[in-house]
Amino acid sequence: MSGIVISSTSQKPRYFFHTSKISAAATSSLKSRIRAFPFLPLCGCKFELGCKRNRPFSWECKRSFEICALSSNSQGNNWVRVQPEKDENFREEDEFVVVNFYHFVFIEDPQEEVSKHLSFMQGRNIHGRIYLNEQGINAQYSGPAKDALAYAKWVKEDHRFAGVLVQISPVSNGHAFPRLRLRYKPSLVQLEGGISHLPLLEPSIRAIPLTPSQWRNRLEALNKVNDCSNGDLNGNCILLDVRNGYEWDVGHFQGAPRPDVDCFRSTSFGLSDSMVSESDPLAAIDKEKTDVLMYCTGGIRCDVYSAILRGRGFKRLYTLMGGISHYLKSEGSAGWVGNLFVFDARLALPPPVFKPEVKTEACKTQAFLDNSFAKCYICGSKVSELRHRNCANLDCNLLFLCCTACVNQLRGCCCLKCTSAARLRPVLPGHQRYQKWHHYREVELDRR
């Protein structure tokens, strides 16, 4: 490559790349040659590219690089524009993120463990839900990257939590949680009857975890069989959504039936002694021979519920490692339709949040255009946005999908009766979440 000019200042080195002849076809070769230079991995390098008298591009190096464009100046010389590649593990210190992880491990003194974690949190800007008990930890929290990632790193430095799968996603408007709740909790997830009696510390009792790529292969094979059988479910394999019905309403894996559940606490798939149940996809299946592919948002609900099903005699249990969020990050939206419901201020996230580079047009079409399953709770029409809202009636607070016309007509309520409620909040604009009631009560008093 000709015309490379390397200069430096007292602060940071600067590099100029100039080529006399290059075509788009040569980009791949040139990229590998540029990567070979030893100065490229240096963080903080200043790059100014273009002609020396008129330098149109200037930025600081954060990580490694890629050629993103070729351009020509007025003299006909070609110049290589280089920019930092995105590094999923790199975050600006003040960029807010949401972090999720859980881990089943024996904790001899969970109260002491809570005290250690609270001590580490001192002076750090973290909001969220972090629960510990004798069976392990379950954490979902938000904060600036420097604090949020520091806590996750500190947790993993403990040998008991070394294998934790930490999942990170962006949040655009500050905290996704109102405050920090870090405490001892008898159940890491809420389920009728509790979970402390379940042998969750025994991996062999829980479902066999499938990596995202393994899950994708199984999903594609299952849907192929179902398509060939006119949509009938494969008798040797069941796809089980271990979430709530309203979560399915905004997004799910293709072929997964809608769970008839309003709260995970009351989930009862496979627990009925009745051989026939329209609302139970596990009713009347062969427990010895049927593969049950379970999935949920982050994986913990599947791990817990698989232990229950194992106790009920189900032999072939599989779960999606890291849940839907891990799958979307690893495989994109292949096999997924809609958005992902999350239990924080964001409410629902489109697949590109987890994997910005959607690989194929087919994935784009499936993720964004196929929302025919999503219906307005009030009138039954298609909704344009896959995001829930809460009923404006505080004493109802129902989560529901709603079209714009019904939002305006019923003033943000889920039904006509709620529009005359005593504690009625204003219609929420856009994708906001309601604040505490006292905020609206004080606003109403000020108007009077």
Side-chain angles (χ1 to χ4, degrees):
M1 185 171 62
S2 62
I4 300 178
V5 179
I6 303 176
S7 64
S8 63
T9 66
S10 58
Q11 298 296 323
K12 299 173 182 176
R14 295 185 296 176
Y15 311 100
F16 303 91
F17 299 91
H18 165 230
T19 66
S20 57
K21 293 182 180 180
I22 185 170
S23 64
T27 297
S28 178
S29 174
L30 181 60
K31 179 175 180 178
S32 63
R33 295 177 67 183
I34 288 180
R35 281 182 179 277
F37 286 98
F39 52 74
L40 283 179
L42 297 176
C43 294
C45 296
K46 185 87 170 182
F47 281 75
E48 298 181 9
L49 306 134
C51 73
K52 297 179 187 177
R53 295 181 181 177
N54 181 22
R55 298 165 182 166
F57 308 124
S58 175
W59 56 90
E60 291 189 1
C61 158
K62 294 298 185 183
R63 284 292 187 267
S64 55
F65 302 88
E66 64 179 353
I67 298 173
C68 68
L70 299 174
S71 60
S72 299
N73 60 15
S74 58
Q75 285 75 37
N77 292 324
N78 293 316
W79 295 83
V80 182
R81 181 179 178 182
V82 183
Q83 72 176 12
E85 285 183 341
K86 290 184 177 179
D87 184 340
E88 63 186 22
N89 296 316
F90 177 78
R91 305 277 179 177
E92 295 289 348
E93 287 191 347
D94 57 352
E95 176 186 355
F96 272 73
V97 295
V98 171
V99 178
N100 297 271
F101 62 82
Y102 72 95
H103 193 59
F104 293 116
V105 64
F106 176 66
I107 298 178
E108 184 175 3
D109 190 343
Q111 295 289 3
E112 180 183 356
E113 191 70 23
V114 168
S115 297
K116 287 169 53 180
H117 286 241
L118 285 173
S119 178
F120 183 85
M121 290 294 186
Q122 295 300 314
R124 290 183 167 87
N125 185 14
I126 292 178
H127 291 185
R129 301 181 291 261
I130 302 172
Y131 303 133
L132 295 109
N133 65 17
E134 292 82 359
Q135 294 177 310
I137 186 172
N138 185 18
Q140 303 91 38
Y141 61 90
S142 64
K146 63 178 180 179
D147 291 338
L149 301 184
Y151 174 63
K153 180 182 178 181
W154 177 78
V155 170
K156 293 190 70 173
E157 287 173 352
D158 187 321
H159 69 91
R160 296 170 299 174
F161 305 111
V164 167
L165 173 62
V166 177
Q167 302 196 61
I168 306 166
S169 56
V171 56
S172 58
N173 298 314
H175 280 294
F177 300 91
R179 62 186 182 280
L180 175 63
R181 289 188 293 178
L182 197 168
R183 62 185 177 86
Y184 173 88
K185 195 171 185 180
S187 292
L188 295 181
V189 295
Q190 294 303 303
L191 197 63
E192 196 68 38
I195 66 172
S196 59
H197 63 287
L198 297 175
L200 296 174
L201 302 184
E202 290 292 334
S204 61
I205 299 298
R206 306 196 301 266
I208 298 172
L210 299 178
T211 65
S213 61
Q214 290 173 329
W215 179 271
R216 179 175 178 174
N217 292 336
R218 293 294 299 267
L219 187 67
E220 289 174 348
L222 176 60
N223 285 323
K224 184 176 181 179
V225 170
N226 291 340
D227 289 341
C228 294
S229 60
N230 297 320
D232 294 331
L233 285 175
N234 180 7
N236 294 322
C237 188
I238 293 290
L239 187 58
L240 184 66
D241 192 325
V242 191
R243 301 181 300 161
N244 302 311
Y246 59 81
E247 295 177 75
W248 185 98
D249 288 340
V250 297
H252 52 267
F253 280 111
Q254 183 181 355
R258 185 184 189 276
D260 186 19
V261 178
D262 293 327
C263 179
F264 179 67
R265 178 193 292 270
S266 59
T267 301
S268 59
F269 299 136
L271 305 186
S272 174
D273 294 327
S274 173
M275 293 298 292
V276 180
S277 176
E278 294 182 358
S279 62
D280 187 354
L282 300 186
I285 72 169
D286 189 328
K287 297 180 180 180
E288 299 278 345
K289 299 180 179 180
T290 305
D291 290 348
V292 180
L293 305 182
M294 310 168 62
Y295 74 89
C296 57
T297 306
I300 189 169
R301 285 182 282 183
C302 286
D303 269 344
V304 169
Y305 203 74
S306 66
I308 295 175
L309 292 179
R310 189 79 72 187
R312 299 286 295 190
F314 290 86
K315 303 297 184 182
R316 303 176 65 86
L317 300 172
Y318 302 88
T319 188
L320 174 56
M321 182 189 301
I324 305 163
S325 54
H326 187 42
Y327 178 89
L328 294 178
K329 183 176 182 179
S330 301
E331 300 297 318
S333 56
W336 177 264
V337 291
N339 292 341
L340 174 62
F341 183 95
V342 290
F343 290 92
D344 58 54
R346 299 170 298 175
L347 278 178
L349 302 176
V353 166
F354 301 93
K355 191 176 183 68
E357 63 283 9
V358 180
K359 291 185 177 179
T360 65
E361 290 299 321
C363 288
K364 291 181 181 180
T365 300
Q366 187 180 59
F368 302 111
L369 299 182
D370 185 6
N371 65 342
S372 58
F373 63 90
K375 306 292 184 182
C376 174
Y377 173 81
I378 298 169
C379 69
S381 64
K382 293 182 181 179
V383 295
S384 59
E385 293 182 314
L386 298 176
R387 189 183 295 267
H388 288 86
R389 65 187 304 114
N390 286 96
C391 179
N393 174 13
L394 176 65
D395 298 309
C396 172
N397 208 41
L398 178 73
L399 267 177
F400 66 104
L401 289 174
C402 194
C403 67
T404 303
C406 290
V407 170
N408 296 332
Q409 183 178 355
L410 296 181
R411 293 182 290 167
C413 294
C414 67
C415 62
L416 186 61
K417 181 180 179 181
C418 281
T419 60
S420 58
R423 297 199 295 175
L424 193 64
R425 298 172 292 195
V427 179
L428 273 182
H431 306 313
Q432 298 180 24
R433 294 293 301 272
Y434 280 117
Q435 301 181 46
K436 296 294 184 180
W437 168 245
H438 68 81
H439 171 81
Y440 304 105
R441 181 178 56 195
E442 291 170 0
V443 171
E444 188 64 26
L445 290 174
D446 290 342
R447 289 176 180 174
R448 295 176 184 176

